[in-house]
Amino acid sequence: MIWEQLIKAGYNLVPTDPDKRPLGGAYAKCYDEHCPELVERFESKKIKKRQTGVALLGRVNPEYPQWILIVIDIDDPTRLPEEARKMLEGTWRWLTGPRCPKDGEKHDIKCENGVCRHGDHEFKLEEAPRGEAYAVLIPAEAERLFNKGVVKALDGAVEIKLRAQQQIPPSLHPSGVVYEWITTPYGDDGEVRHPKKLTLEEVRRLLELLGVSQQQQEAAGEAQQVRTAVRTQERWRRLEERTKTEIVNLLKDIYTPGNRQTLWLSLAGWLAKARVDPRDATDVLLRLYKETGDEDDLKMRASAIVYTYAKAGYQNAKEAVAEVLQVMPYGPEEVEQAEVKGLSGIKEIAVSTVGADLANRLVKRLKLLLRRRRLPVDFDLSQLPQWARRLDIRLRRVCLEHNALYNFCAKELRVVKDPASQYVDVVLVHRARKCESTDAGRECRIVTAKVSRAARLLRFMGRVYDPYYHEARYIALKDGRVAAVASADDFDTFIEQIRQTPPCFIIKDEKILDILKAYMPQAVLPLSAGLADDGFIDPHGVLDVADHGVEDTLLAAWRWMKKAYRGRNLAYATFNVFAALAKVMTPLLRRINKTFVDQIIFNVGRGGEGKSTLVRYVLTPLLGGDEAQEAYYIRLDGPVRTDAQLRNLVDMNRLPLLLDEQTRRALMNNAAMFLAAAVGVGTTGVHASRHGHGVAARFRNLRGIIVFTNVPLSTFLRDVAVEASDVAFARRFIEIRWDFERPSPAAFDELLEVKPALGFAVRLWSRYKDELIKSRDLLELVEKLADVLVREYPNNVEVAEMAAAVKQTVSELREEKRAEMAALSDEATLVERAYRVAMEQLKASQLSAIRVLRYILENPHVFHVAFTKLRDESKLREIAEELDDIIAKIRRCTRLGTTQATRQSWPTTPPSLWPSSRS
């Protein structure tokens, strides 16, 4: 069939009905690109029932866009000048409809069996003059001579069609006459023979012969120049980095030798049509050039951008291209405007390279990247934390009302998304059944009757279960931060918070809200700030979680500390840095390993050793700096006066907590919280419900603690001896006794610059998690961190030196801890506990040994003591007599004033209370 051959050859044709109207839907894009899918229209059984003709579309041809196909439709061939006829000789030519030979009319003629009628006139078909049509190719630059899609000439006797269609043989004219070829589009071999090409001067002459004056041509050119001038004044559209990267990734596979220059032309044409800034177009193509190893002359490649943008009407692109390339590209200063290839050219390359299916998908994705955005784009989603993408709304459409009679959805809720926007629109689509009468009979179809917006929501929101708090909450993110949060049983409050967040709005419709709640994304992830298995959770979006590596974090701190501290203080400062990094990880580790002991680092010094300097200028920046301090309270610079305050701080998030300048009273008040905060993850306190049964709030021990004080640990433990056993305290504290030596003033001559180590902690955890979780306590975790750091940087001398210093300190602290625990013998423990109970019962802090012993003898039930009775009565009397003698001697010594010797035989103060952990 003719239509099949011509479409395959690169032309566009559509089937038409008896009124010359195209069948099969919209086809406007086919005036700008080749549409091979038009073949499917001719094969449709439904269309075949109504088809009576074939129409050739203007402009597109195998050599488009360099050459433009035009059709010259001549109603009265006698009026065509002979010179024009000779100019058109040899090109496609065919006969069209008849004209009445008696009155010259062409409308309402009916022909049958060679006899035609027009009103009262009857005549034979061969007597009727018939119209003619020609198809020719003109240069792209000649198109500017035409100021519209159809140009009329010779008082309407001739029509020159560009953006229009023309019936060709073997179409059936409405009069009943079949169109006939005079010069066919086939050669002797049956192959397609293309129309004749006219030069620019021949086109000008043809227009002149047809009565299109030079003035009209100049007017058309001026109109085109005005359009060009307007376009060059339009604001350029800038592409996001993400969009440019996606374009490059999509086109890499088809950027192959033989297609590269053509792809530069087509891609530049597509971006020029979309008014994309030529600098961005150049940046995209330059990335393609570099990432694919293209070695051709860059100036020559870039000339494609200059040339294409000029043809599209932007004559000033050369300087913009040079700005990106840093070299001046080749290319003319000015080019006459003409049609340029865009996506169609890219598609042709893709089809030949990766096949039709992948090519169609590639073009579809490219279209999506540059489509007009209905939703605001006010945040770069590449900055969105990875965990937040688990809250991306996945709801697409839900049918609210179904028409059972005709089996279609009459009312549908649909969620509209934009890949680059952090918002979604919720729209209601109303559909109806529409029927109309046609020549083929009554046809019915489902049409969209109305579309209305019901809401604009934040795209990243959902119901989140926090495994640390053991609570579910609704949260929504805006700009990468938590913008709305409510408990899982208060959806209305959550929606109201979103409604108050510009530019969101929600129309109150209970049915819609219930659907949104039902389809809300659900996830299990921590809501509190801290390390997670898939990244770093930062609800407020204030932390720098980039991976700065060891150079700008730990090594920067190490170099400064070597200037500031000496001897053991340098070792202690370095250990505190590693302990802080370890305590970023301990909340995760404590949740996995229920018996892990996250000891409290207890830094003690007289004052002036540089402990507060370490806290403010080293540890705080490593943990996020002022932003973390403002949002998450990672440091307190004064005493925490009550256990309620410390309980809230420990429950707030999972970042390390630095407690500086803690007083003796503050430490005593928080002894119970210190015990609860060091092992596992559990509940440290509750708030009762205000009304009725239940618990209104729970408090968790989520944070690792580092204390800085001038109160020795032994003093603190003696003060709180009634709170827990010595062993309980010994397990939970690591005491670091700083030497009294001031930091070097020279270290403060140069300002310390250290970047947050949170992103670096994410890297270490993700790579060495399986090894780190085997740690039994904080000291072992710090030791393992030193080891993995050396493995991560095997050739770094400074890293090795720093890690060795930390491991040496860990070894010394571990030996000190062993000695402390060994000192807690059974005898010492018995005496220490006896003193503790006696002090508690007698409400006294200073008791003599004799008073404690007497209290035990007089009140054995308080101490749970049972005295045994000897079975041998004579032995009992013997012991009693010995005791009487001793008592008599004591009395005599008292009278003589020599009681001092007797007192020295008993300890006057309780034995030392050793640091301990719970037994």
Side-chain angles (χ1 to χ4, degrees), residues 634-709:
I634 60 172
R635 183 189 80 233
L636 251 70
D637 297 326
V640 182
R641 300 186 183 281
T642 66
D643 67 338
Q645 293 176 359
L646 185 57
R647 181 183 63 191
N648 284 348
L649 287 168
V650 172
D651 177 77
M652 184 177 292
N653 55 66
R654 292 176 293 114
L655 293 172
L657 177 61
L658 309 175
L659 301 179
D660 193 19
E661 305 290 359
Q662 297 305 297
T663 63
R664 183 175 182 178
R665 174 58 58 186
L667 293 171
M668 288 177 60
N669 291 341
N670 293 299
M673 274 302 303
F674 287 137
L675 289 174
V679 179
V681 177
T683 302
T684 61
V686 298
H687 274 172
S689 177
R690 186 173 180 180
H691 302 289
H693 302 285
V695 173
R698 294 179 177 84
F699 297 89
R700 311 284 180 177
N701 57 333
L702 301 180
R703 309 177 75 171
I705 299 174
I706 302 179
V707 174
F708 295 84
T709 182

Side-chain angles (χ1 to χ4, degrees), residues 548-558 622 754-758 760:
H548 296 292
V550 73
E551 183 67 31
D552 295 329
T553 55
L554 301 185
L555 282 185
W558 165 252
L622 283 173
V754 57
K755 293 183 178 179
L758 303 177
F760 185 49

Side-chain angles (χ1 to χ4, degrees), residues 720-739:
V720 296
V722 296
E723 296 290 340
S725 73
D726 48 2
V727 178
F729 276 109
R731 290 182 63 223
R732 285 165 168 79
F733 285 90
I734 297 174
E735 184 180 22
I736 297 179
R737 296 180 291 273
W738 288 61
D739 293 340

